[in-house]
Each structure stands twice: as structure tokens, then as C-alpha cells.
């Protein structure tokens, strides 16, 4: 990668170049093979990016005509703020783009989008074993100290 990446909103024509990044992100978190997301989840996620009634958005990093990273984020209401909060749901870069500032550029672009939308905060979570990403996250955000609990219902 020699070009400085362009960070931009996703467009419908990006699907074929976005899908390998999405698949890579899901594989990274163990959602592949027999545990892969059903195709309808991918299709619905993609459709939400282009639905004005959905609070879900996507940015991509592009360099040399190739998509090398993605950031999916959404806005939601909270009981502790009047303006919607911004949740950075997914962040992923291609292996060849890692360590070259692409992840940071995508995070900074989400920050800019959140500011423009009037959101007072951007937050996200990562797996405790994802120490490589945490090295970046510790530079661009504060750890909240919260522990996530969940239960499938």
C-alpha cells in the first residue's frame, strides 16, 4: 500500500469489494465455516447502510482502487444523554493495511461523523485477546472500565 487511504461513505457499487472485508472481520471473530453468519444477516446489514430510516452507517478505506478497511457504526438513544450516542460496531482492515494508520483513520472519521451528527460520545468494545487492536485503541480513546455481559435469549 503506497497511497494514502481515502476514507469515505460506502456506496452500493462497493459490495463486491466490501464483502471480503466483512467476511474477514467475521472470520477474525470466529464466525466462519459452520459458525458463519447466515447470508440473510449479511444482506440485511448491507441494506441497512442505504436505508435512511436505519441508524446504521458504513465507512470504507480505499487505496489504489482497493477497499482496505471498513467501519460500521450506529446511533442510539441512551438514558444518560439527550443526543444519540455513536457505537462503533465493526472495525476491520485488510492484513496488508495493518499497522499503516488505516484503523486510526477510520476511527477518526467515525469521530468526525459523530461530531457532525451531534453525538457526544463514540464507544466500542473489543475482545480481551485482541491486544494488537487495543494498542491502537489505548492511543485514540479512554478505556471505560465497564465489563460486557450478555445472554442469548
Amino acid at each position: 500500500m503506497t497511497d494514502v487511504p481515502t476514507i469515505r461513505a460506502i456506496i452500493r457499487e462497493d459490495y463486491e469489494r466490501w464483502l471480503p472485508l466483512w467476511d474477514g472481520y467475521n472470520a477474525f471473530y470466529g464466525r466462519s465455516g459452520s459458525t458463519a453468519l447466515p447470508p440473510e444477516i449479511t444482506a440485511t446489514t448491507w441494506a441497512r447502510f442505504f436505508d435512511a430510516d436505519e441508524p446504521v452507517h458504513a465507512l470504507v478505506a480505499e487505496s489504489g482502487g482497493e477497499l482496505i478497511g471498513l467501519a460500521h457504526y450506529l446511533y442510539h438513544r441512551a438514558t444518560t444523554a439527550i443526543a444519540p450516542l455513536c457505537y462503533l460496531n465493526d472495525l476491520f482492515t485488510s492484513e496488508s493495511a495493518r499497522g499503516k494508520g488505516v484503523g486510526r483513520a477510520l476511527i477518526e472519521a467515525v469521530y468526525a461523523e459523530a461530531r457532525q451528527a451531534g453525538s457526544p460520545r463514540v464507544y466500542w468494545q473489543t475482545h480481551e485477546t485482541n491486544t494488537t487492536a487495543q494498542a491502537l485503541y489505548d492511543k485514540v480513546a479512554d478505556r471505560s472500565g465497564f465489563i460486557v455481559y450478555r445472554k442469548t435469549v
Side-chain angles (χ1 to χ4, degrees):
M1 184 181 85
T2 58
D3 296 340
V4 174
T6 299
I7 309 299
R8 62 171 175 78
I10 202 160
I11 58 175
R12 291 182 190 277
E13 292 78 14
D14 288 331
Y15 183 78
E16 294 300 324
R17 298 183 304 153
W18 166 85
L19 187 58
L21 290 169
W22 175 241
D23 289 344
Y25 172 78
N26 284 300
F28 180 83
Y29 282 108
R31 295 183 295 258
S32 62
S34 64
T35 60
L37 290 178
E40 58 269 19
I41 291 179
T42 294
T44 300
T45 297
W46 180 256
R48 285 177 175 162
F49 298 148
F50 305 101
D51 184 340
D53 292 330
E54 288 284 349
V56 183
H57 307 276
L59 299 173
V60 290
E62 184 175 27
S63 179
E66 179 182 352
L67 294 189
I68 57 172
L70 61 77
H72 303 153
Y73 59 100
L74 58 95
Y75 296 103
H76 68 87
R77 299 197 184 284
T79 59
T80 57
I82 294 172
L85 302 182
C86 181
Y87 179 63
L88 176 54
N89 202 97
D90 312 312
L91 179 71
F92 185 76
T93 64
S94 64
E95 195 168 328
S96 65
R98 294 188 189 141
K100 298 180 179 176
V102 177
R104 178 188 291 261
L106 284 163
I107 291 169
E108 294 292 342
V110 171
Y111 289 169
E113 292 292 325
R115 277 191 294 275
Q116 185 174 338
S119 180
R121 180 172 54 229
V122 175
Y123 73 101
W124 63 92
Q125 61 187 6
T126 192
H127 196 272
E128 64 188 10
T129 61
N130 193 356
T131 55
T132 300
Q134 289 175 50
L136 168 62
Y137 301 162
D138 287 343
K139 294 175 186 167
V140 300
D142 300 320
R143 286 188 188 224
S144 68
F146 281 87
I147 299 169
V148 176
Y149 290 87
R150 68 181 182 190
K151 170 127 179 93
T152 302
V153 294

